[in-house]
Amino acid sequence: MYVFSVNATTPKDFDDYAAGDEVPFIVYINFSDLYGAEQLCKLYLNQQGFFDVAIDKRKLIEDKHLQNKKLINADPHMKDALESGYAIQVFSAH
């Protein structure tokens, strides 16, 4: 699994953001290949209407951490990504 720190532009008003604002996200992608995970990250944000998706940081979450039930239960987004393949979270700051 990979976790990405991402910025994308919103086409319309969204929460505290105006149309055209850059929105920070944390995106979990449960995929074994970095290139494929990056493409899926961009695709999922584009499908939600965001554009100019730019990945700022990327990190591999090793399998040993994915086997740790206590860690998984403490992070609901990681748990969602394990179950559905991905999780997107709007983040207040990078």
Side-chain angles (χ1 to χ4, degrees), residues 11-63:
K12 59 184 178 184
D13 293 350
F14 166 73
D15 289 344
D16 293 333
Y17 299 99
D21 282 352
E22 190 173 84
V23 180
F25 293 92
I26 298 297
V27 180
Y28 291 85
I29 303 290
N30 191 12
F31 199 77
S32 60
D33 175 70
L34 175 60
Y35 179 78
E38 287 179 347
Q39 299 309 308
L40 287 169
C41 176
K42 293 175 183 180
L43 176 72
Y44 291 140
L45 286 170
N46 286 146
Q47 285 180 334
Q48 297 300 315
F50 294 92
F51 59 96
D52 294 335
V53 178
I55 297 174
D56 183 43
K57 297 178 185 175
R58 55 198 50 80
K59 182 173 179 162
L60 172 67
I61 301 174
E62 296 178 15
D63 286 336

